[in-house]
Amino acid sequence: MGNAVTVTTKLSSTHAEALLAAMRAQYLLSLNEHWYVDEYRYVPQIARHKSILEKSPVMAAQKSLMAALSLSLKAVK
């Protein structure tokens, strides 16, 4: 990532867990919405998720943020 942006914040564990849960729910809704769109109908299921992420920068960012939150929460526990 040539023009990567770094975001640093401090959240309580409770807030981080709540944010992670909300992001997971939104991500799953978005994935389900995109999964059955005609644009991805002929993309094999094994490659469909990657294809959706390549065309949806919001979902790609959500995935990265969810991974960072999960890792941070594991480090705290």
Side-chain angles (χ1 to χ4, degrees):
M1 276 188 233
N3 294 333
V5 175
T6 301
V7 178
T8 304
T9 188
K10 288 187 180 187
L11 299 171
S12 68
S13 293
T14 304
H15 289 169
E17 288 170 357
L19 179 59
L20 181 58
M23 290 189 68
R24 282 181 176 155
Q26 181 59 49
Y27 186 84
L28 290 174
L29 287 172
S30 295
L31 182 61
N32 191 47
E33 181 181 308
H34 285 85
W35 193 264
Y36 297 104
V37 171
D38 286 344
E39 180 178 357
Y40 303 107
R41 180 187 306 179
Y42 298 109
V43 177
Q45 285 192 5
I46 196 159
R48 198 174 296 178
H49 186 234
K50 182 180 177 184
S51 182
I52 291 168
L53 290 180
E54 287 172 352
K55 294 183 180 179
S56 178
V58 170
M59 288 183 65
Q62 284 175 323
K63 185 175 181 208
S64 294
L65 187 53
M66 287 186 300
L69 280 169
S70 293
L71 187 63
S72 294
L73 284 167
K74 285 178 186 175
V76 169
K77 291 183 180 185

